[in-house]
Amino acid sequence: MTLHRPLPPDMFDELCPSSLLPFRFGDKWAALVMRCLEDGPRRFSELRVPLARVTPKVLTQSLRGLERGGLVSRTVHADPKAGVEYALTPLGRSMLEPMNAACEWAAEHWDELLDARERHIAT
Amino acid sequence: MTLHRPLPPDMFDELCPSSLLPFRFGDKWAALVMRCLEDGPRRFSELRVPLARVTPKVLTQSLRGLERGGLVSRTVHADPKAGVEYALTPLGRSMLEPMNAACEWAAEHWDELLDARERHIAT
DNA sequence: CCGAATCCATAGGGATACTG
DNA sequence: CAGTATCCCTATGGATTCGG
């Protein structure tokens, strides 16, 4: 079998770590975190508000992962009062575009997605 | 903090199972499977060729997951010769669009992604 | 305020071998 | 051909507690 266009370098290749795959943006919360940073830099405690369901440890994990991936930057301010600021990098910001497209797709088909799931639970 | 547009119904809500999130398309191999079905229905053994790294058990798992999600259909033909065919549902097909957009994004920024990762390993 | 350290539970993926 | 059946094992997420 052949695919029209090759995937990134080669998604079928072992070398492609699945964590870099465009549709597996990091961990469980990564996408949500990204969206919370959409409007500008945020401090840790600010992120904890909308992400109340995420424990600090897990949130840190997620942020570290995004940092490693070059999608988020972490800056410790000299003034301790300023805290630590997380922000999207240009790369991270560029990722919002396809991500939001995916979001909109999901929003449009939300009921179909839920239907399909319910139906299979019933069966 | 507020987001301009609400996410799907409400991504921050507990009710939103993360498996339905647009950027976490099912399991590790789901996206690859979808792309393999892009050009038309395929049988199990046909899928195993490009997905040679995936064991049959895991491939089955992935297909079942996609089926539950309403993205892929599974049809057992009366004639045993025809085998079992997997195909994208209209819903599944509609998902290829945002997914491919994400793919293209990844392809464009592939080196940046790798760079960021390497840099952090070095450190 | 921003995490780190520890411990735990589970699920997901994988290897291997076997069946209708 | 199209899966099952086991068994294992690590990674991830989560609760809780502690530190700079």
Side-chain angles (χ1 to χ4, degrees):
Chain A
M1 178 194 300
T2 329
L3 297 166
H4 319 281
R5 346 162 221 214
L7 299 174
D10 181 4
M11 260 177 40
F12 290 92
D13 187 340
E14 171 104 29
L15 286 176
C16 169
S18 59
S19 54
L20 284 182
L21 291 185
F23 12 73
R24 280 184 70 80
F25 301 114
D27 57 36
K28 183 173 178 181
W29 303 105
L32 240 36
V33 172
M34 298 277 298
R35 293 211 84 178
C36 289
L37 292 173
E38 193 168 8
D39 298 334
R42 295 281 184 261
R43 303 193 314 183
F44 193 80
S45 48
E46 293 179 297
L47 291 173
R48 294 212 56 194
V49 178
L51 299 169
R53 285 166 46 214
V54 188
T55 65
K57 178 199 142 189
V58 174
L59 181 53
T60 301
Q61 269 180 194
S62 196
L63 285 165
R64 292 285 188 274
L66 291 169
E67 199 188 349
R68 285 186 52 207
L71 302 173
V72 162
S73 66
R74 175 178 183 271
T75 45
V76 184
H77 290 284
D79 177 9
K81 279 301 177 186
V84 181
E85 251 187 17
Y86 294 94
L88 294 179
T89 62
L91 182 59
R93 187 160 292 281
S94 80
M95 206 196 74
L96 283 176
E97 202 172 327
M99 205 182 77
N100 284 335
C103 274
E104 277 160 34
W105 175 85
E108 277 174 38
H109 300 276
W110 197 252
D111 45 354
E112 301 175 59
L113 288 167
L114 287 182
D115 279 4
R117 184 151 282 235
E118 301 267 328
R119 215 177 314 121
H120 239 277
I121 291 172
T123 319
Chain B
M1 179 194 299
T2 329
L3 297 167
H4 318 280
R5 350 165 219 212
L7 300 173
D10 182 4
M11 261 176 40
F12 290 92
D13 187 339
E14 169 104 29
L15 286 177
C16 170
S18 59
S19 54
L20 284 182
L21 291 185
F23 11 73
R24 281 184 69 78
F25 301 115
D27 58 35
K28 183 173 177 182
W29 302 106
L32 239 37
V33 172
M34 298 275 299
R35 293 211 85 178
C36 288
L37 292 173
E38 193 168 6
D39 298 335
R42 295 282 185 262
R43 305 193 316 188
F44 193 79
S45 50
E46 292 180 297
L47 289 173
R48 295 212 54 193
V49 177
L51 299 169
R53 286 167 45 215
V54 187
T55 64
K57 177 198 140 187
V58 174
L59 180 53
T60 301
Q61 272 180 189
S62 197
L63 285 165
R64 292 286 189 274
L66 291 169
E67 200 189 348
R68 283 186 54 206
L71 302 173
V72 162
S73 67
R74 176 178 182 270
T75 44
V76 185
H77 290 284
D79 177 9
K81 279 301 178 190
V84 180
E85 251 185 15
Y86 293 93
L88 295 178
T89 61
L91 182 59
R93 187 160 291 281
S94 80
M95 206 196 73
L96 283 175
E97 202 173 326
M99 205 182 78
N100 284 336
C103 273
E104 276 160 35
W105 176 85
E108 278 175 38
H109 300 277
W110 196 252
D111 45 353
E112 300 175 60
L113 287 168
L114 287 182
D115 280 4
R117 184 152 280 235
E118 302 266 326
R119 215 176 315 121
H120 240 276
I121 291 172
T123 318

